Amino acid sequence: MGPKRPKKLTVSAAVLTVGTVSLLTLGGCSGEDAGGGQHHGGGTGHSSPGGSPGVPKPTEPARTGPAPAAVPSVRDWKPVRGPAWKPSRFTRVVADPGGPLADEAKLLASELKVPFSDGPARTADVRLSLDQNLKTGREGYEMASREGKVTIAGAADAGVFYGTRTLLKSVRATGAVADGVVRDRPDRPQRGMMLDIARKHFTADWIEDRIREMGDLKLNQLQLHLSDDQAFRVESSTHPEVVSRPSLTKAQMRRIVKLARSRHIDVIPEIDSPGHLGAVLKAHPEIQLKNAQGRPTEGAVDISDPRAAKIIDDLLREYADLFPGKYWHLGGDEYLALMQRDPEASYPGLAAKAREEFGPGARVSDLATDWLNDRSAVVREKGKTPQAWNDGIHTGGEVRAHRDREVAYWTGREPGERSPVSYLREGWKLINLNDEYLYYVLGEPNKFTYPTGRRIYDNWTPAVLRGTESVPKSLSGPSHILGGRFAVWCDRAGAQTQEQVAAGIRAPLRATAQKLWNPRKPALSWEDFKRLGERTS
């Protein structure tokens, strides 16, 4: 008797429990990041199109099984009766060795500890393929497990990679993948983590471990906050005098970027300006902003001084090739001149320059807007899409912020208290970094507390941009809110070790990944989700 018609199930989270299965040990191999995985050609016991000589068919009884156990959970699952697929000594990962999925196939083969093959696929194998006719989008995929074989297909390599993550996690958690078809795709195009490597030095190896973790969670962006008042952490040839010790070399950063690209993660650099530049000012005190009394302003450059713009633009242009991804974060937040009750009185030099450049009604905020517009133009010339913090986008005035950038919304605490709805109604595209849920601030200063995975999992969605309230549904979709990032800030760098940071962010990062992939209310309780995350790692 043939398999029954698939019964469609909409899945918000991985199925609660699976029968006891022998767990496999699937640690990474030393060659996985270099595309490891032994290659076996089609002549090594491969099957004919009609069968699989020498490869036994599954003997387990046919049953309808659960959705693959994955974090984030699959969004659509159609089970069929069958014996389930399990990796065995006959298993190979099959793909064209000269094609666009070779790296994904070799990585999965190394993780499953099975050979990579050019096929053809047979019983027990995992076959990866591209299908431009699939309506999955660039990051979606279909995974079918039938008659002892798994096929993973997508319209692009990113989607196929995410399919391999679903298979890998299910094998780690349960030892198997039930028979059926997964159709899965993310709700938001931007899903990631932000890491402050300026205030605290993180080793290249530590960052690479987080990239592997992010890839398994189907996150696709790593924002690196490269500079701040405390330090500037990447080697520079144009301005070596600003670089702190310890720091990352360009060779280390290239390795980080290469690994990230293999996991379909875009590394987004951030050189924050015109504030948070204390490390640059230590080497260049001549460009530091001074107030009406002549006192230097912490971390702030004098945006009326063209020498300040030249130094920042030198660095932006220098690093453009080092970070070949699509996005560049310009910062723009917490410029202390604008955090005074009367910026024009506190900084008469900036006020005078604003009037000179933009007319008698211009204010210091106009000069700051023009500064960020100019930096935006520099990265645009390099083919980047600019992003900036929401308190770097000023309303009113004589100068308007260029609409060529995306807005990373983190707080409503800034002067002016602009709500996220005001940005959305003006047509800005937002990325959610809500400091109420997504800010992991070392040492917990300024009334911050370490976020919990439970709170993110139970209460946060991409629509919750500020505080605990969602924006209106009409403004909450992916065309308005592009996604979100979990942010690690190192205000008190010594409060935790690297290892403590990794442990502390693990559960919150999984919860963030789940809600960015599928913001609907999860089916699993937090405790069940937490246990699943531990089993799939």
Side-chain angles (χ1 to χ4, degrees):
M1 183 173 66
K4 294 181 180 179
R5 283 178 65 111
K7 178 181 179 183
K8 182 173 181 179
L9 299 178
T10 299
V11 183
S12 299
V15 175
L16 285 171
T17 55
V18 183
T20 303
V21 183
S22 297
L23 297 179
L24 301 180
T25 302
L26 295 170
C29 300
S30 59
E32 71 174 70
D33 296 324
Q38 185 179 0
H39 174 235
H40 286 225
T44 309
H46 69 272
S47 66
S48 65
S52 303
V55 180
K57 293 184 177 180
T59 58
E60 290 80 359
R63 58 171 62 91
T64 300
V71 175
S73 60
V74 301
R75 301 184 70 180
D76 186 83
W77 165 243
K78 294 180 181 178
V80 298
R81 288 182 61 82
W85 175 89
K86 299 178 182 179
S88 72
R89 65 189 181 93
F90 300 102
T91 297
R92 308 169 305 168
V93 179
V94 176
D96 179 358
L101 299 178
D103 290 342
E104 286 76 12
K106 290 174 184 177
L107 175 61
L108 180 63
S110 71
E111 292 166 326
L112 293 175
K113 297 183 178 179
V114 301
F116 164 68
S117 173
D118 56 5
R122 64 191 185 193
T123 302
D125 285 347
V126 180
R127 179 175 177 269
L128 309 186
S129 66
L130 293 178
D131 184 348
Q132 302 297 332
N133 295 319
L134 288 177
K135 306 299 183 183
T136 59
R138 192 183 69 84
E139 294 187 301
Y141 65 93
E142 290 187 3
M143 182 173 77
S145 175
R146 297 283 182 88
E147 300 177 348
K149 181 168 64 177
V150 175
T151 60
I152 301 173
D157 54 354
V160 175
F161 172 73
Y162 295 141
T164 69
R165 300 306 89 190
T166 296
L167 180 140
L168 179 67
K169 283 181 170 289
S170 191
V171 171
R172 283 173 174 170
T174 70
V177 175
D179 280 15
V181 179
V182 169
R183 291 182 176 88
D184 202 15
R185 64 190 301 169
D187 185 73
R188 306 288 157 150
Q190 296 193 36
R191 310 174 305 281
M193 183 174 81
M194 195 236 63
L195 180 63
D196 174 8
I197 66 171
R199 294 180 178 93
K200 183 178 180 69
H201 173 68
F202 291 91
T203 65
D205 287 344
W206 189 94
I207 296 171
E208 289 173 1
D209 284 343
R210 302 290 75 72
I211 288 170
R212 296 183 184 94
E213 184 179 348
M214 291 172 64
D216 283 354
L217 292 171
K218 304 184 177 90
L219 298 172
N220 63 3
Q221 293 180 335
L222 174 61
Q223 178 183 336
L224 293 179
H225 186 74
L226 304 180
S227 63
D228 213 295
D229 294 339
Q230 293 78 3
F232 192 104
R233 296 288 188 187
V234 180
E235 175 188 352
S236 171
S237 56
T238 60
H239 290 284
E241 73 281 0
V242 308
V243 179
S244 308
R245 294 292 180 265
S247 61
L248 296 170
T249 66
K250 286 186 176 180
Q252 288 173 318
M253 192 58 74
R254 289 188 188 98
R255 193 178 75 193
I256 287 168
V257 169
K258 181 179 180 181
L259 176 64
R261 294 184 78 174
S262 77
R263 266 52 174 193
H264 299 272
I265 294 171
D266 194 0
V267 178
I268 303 174
E270 179 194 358
I271 297 178
D272 202 347
S273 78
H276 292 283
L277 284 169
V280 172
L281 292 170
K282 289 173 188 175
H284 292 281
E286 71 277 6
I287 62 172
Q288 187 161 17
L289 179 64
K290 295 179 175 61
N291 66 10
Q293 290 74 42
R295 289 194 292 269
T297 302
E298 182 182 3
V301 297
D302 183 348
I303 55 177
S304 68
D305 188 336
R307 294 175 298 177
K310 183 181 185 307
I311 291 172
I312 301 306
D313 290 349
D314 287 346
L315 294 166
L316 296 177
R317 292 187 174 103
E318 177 185 354
Y319 292 137
D321 292 335
L322 184 62
F323 298 97
K326 177 180 178 180
Y327 299 99
W328 191 290
H329 204 296
L330 297 168
D333 63 310
E334 297 181 323
Y335 186 52
L336 293 184
L338 295 176
M339 300 178 76
Q340 311 305 310
R341 180 172 298 178
D342 187 344
E344 286 68 40
S346 298
Y347 296 94
L350 294 184
K353 184 65 173 178
R355 291 191 296 270
E356 176 188 333
E357 293 287 332
F358 308 114
R363 305 171 68 85
V364 173
S365 60
D366 291 302
L367 207 60
T369 296
D370 186 61
W371 167 278
L372 215 60
N373 284 347
D374 286 346
R375 308 293 78 73
S376 180
V378 170
V379 300
R380 273 287 185 192
E381 290 171 2
K382 296 295 184 178
K384 313 293 185 183
T385 297
Q387 297 181 342
W389 298 111
N390 63 285
D391 47 333
I393 309 295
H394 310 294
T395 188
E398 302 297 321
V399 181
R400 297 289 188 269
H402 291 170
R403 302 307 290 264
D404 61 354
R405 72 197 67 153
E406 298 166 353
V407 179
Y409 195 98
W410 71 281
T411 184
R413 304 179 188 184
E414 79 281 359
E417 298 183 356
R418 292 190 68 197
S419 72
V421 170
S422 70
Y423 292 88
L424 291 167
R425 286 179 174 160
E426 290 172 8
W428 294 101
K429 308 294 186 183
L430 302 191
I431 304 109
N432 190 326
L433 286 97
N434 185 345
D435 64 352
E436 176 73 23
Y437 291 96
L438 305 179
Y439 263 37
Y440 191 96
V441 186
L442 296 197
E444 302 182 304
N446 303 320
K447 299 182 180 180
F448 282 109
T449 58
Y450 292 126
T452 66
R454 178 192 291 272
R455 192 160 179 257
I456 296 168
Y457 188 76
D458 288 342
N459 301 316
W460 179 82
T461 73
V464 182
L465 280 156
R466 173 179 173 179
T468 60
E469 298 297 321
S470 298
V471 299
K473 187 174 181 179
S474 61
L475 298 173
S476 67
S479 62
H480 299 285
I481 303 169
L482 301 173
R485 291 180 203 134
F486 184 82
V488 181
W489 292 104
C490 302
D491 291 40
R492 296 176 180 170
Q496 290 189 344
T497 65
Q498 287 189 142
E499 292 71 23
Q500 289 171 322
V501 173
I505 69 175
R506 190 163 291 127
L509 193 63
R510 289 172 184 157
T512 304
Q514 172 65 41
K515 301 302 280 288
L516 288 168
W517 191 266
N518 186 358
R520 295 178 183 174
K521 182 176 176 58
L524 289 183
S525 70
W526 165 248
E527 290 300 329
D528 287 331
F529 177 84
K530 184 178 178 181
R531 283 191 288 269
L532 178 62
E534 292 165 354
R535 285 170 28 226
T536 58
S537 297

